Amino acid sequence: QVQLVESGGGLFQAGGSLRLSCAASGRTFSTSGVGWFRQAPEKEREFVAGINWSGSTYYTDSVKGRFAISRDYAKNTVYLQMNSLKPEDTAVYYCAADRQTYRNGRAYSMSDYAYWGQGTQVTVSS
């Protein structure tokens, strides 16, 4: 079992930056990929960024060049660095751990993930 806790959300200005953290406990998730998803009001949850077990990263088009996902294996933590923030980035951000270990491909679907954090609110004002 893996417990995930997100942190780092809050209220930010457009054009600014922030870093979200996703800390895992219960067992290491170094053998699993991790994804960040977000859900804006009245919208479906959508994939934002992912990092596989070996550190390969991938992003949805709307955040490419602005967001960066990384992981610290020693701290059992995954980060999402968010730069050049836009009001449309406003959402609850969730991290999730892949249900499959050692996946070399990309996991874009919510059904690929077995463990979820509680989410952290990011609000970007213009």
Side-chain angles (χ1 to χ4, degrees):
Q1 193 79 352
V2 177
Q3 292 81 42
L4 304 176
V5 178
E6 302 97 336
S7 61
L11 176 62
F12 303 89
Q13 294 283 338
S17 298
L18 70 109
R19 188 178 76 164
L20 300 181
S21 298
C22 172
S25 62
R27 69 166 174 84
T28 179
F29 65 179
S30 63
T31 58
S32 298
V34 175
W36 283 97
F37 289 74
R38 65 185 179 188
Q39 187 166 17
E42 301 181 357
K43 291 189 176 181
E44 294 190 353
R45 194 171 300 187
E46 64 173 357
F47 172 83
V48 176
I51 185 165
N52 75 1
W53 68 277
S54 66
S56 178
T57 62
Y58 48 103
Y59 304 89
T60 193
D61 286 346
S62 62
V63 308
K64 283 180 182 176
R66 299 190 300 122
F67 291 8
I69 188 171
S70 61
R71 67 191 305 167
D72 185 326
Y73 292 95
K75 294 183 177 179
N76 223 20
T77 299
V78 171
Y79 304 98
L80 184 67
Q81 178 67 40
M82 303 168 60
N83 301 323
S84 301
L85 292 168
K86 302 177 180 180
E88 51 263 44
D89 294 323
T90 295
V92 178
Y93 283 73
Y94 300 88
C95 66
D98 196 336
R99 65 176 66 253
Q100 179 180 328
T101 56
Y102 299 112
R103 185 196 301 265
N104 290 316
R106 299 178 175 186
Y108 292 105
S109 173
M110 288 179 58
S111 62
D112 292 327
Y113 297 86
Y115 305 101
W116 292 81
Q118 82 291 346
T120 185
Q121 175 71 47
V122 172
T123 302
V124 182
S125 66
S126 55

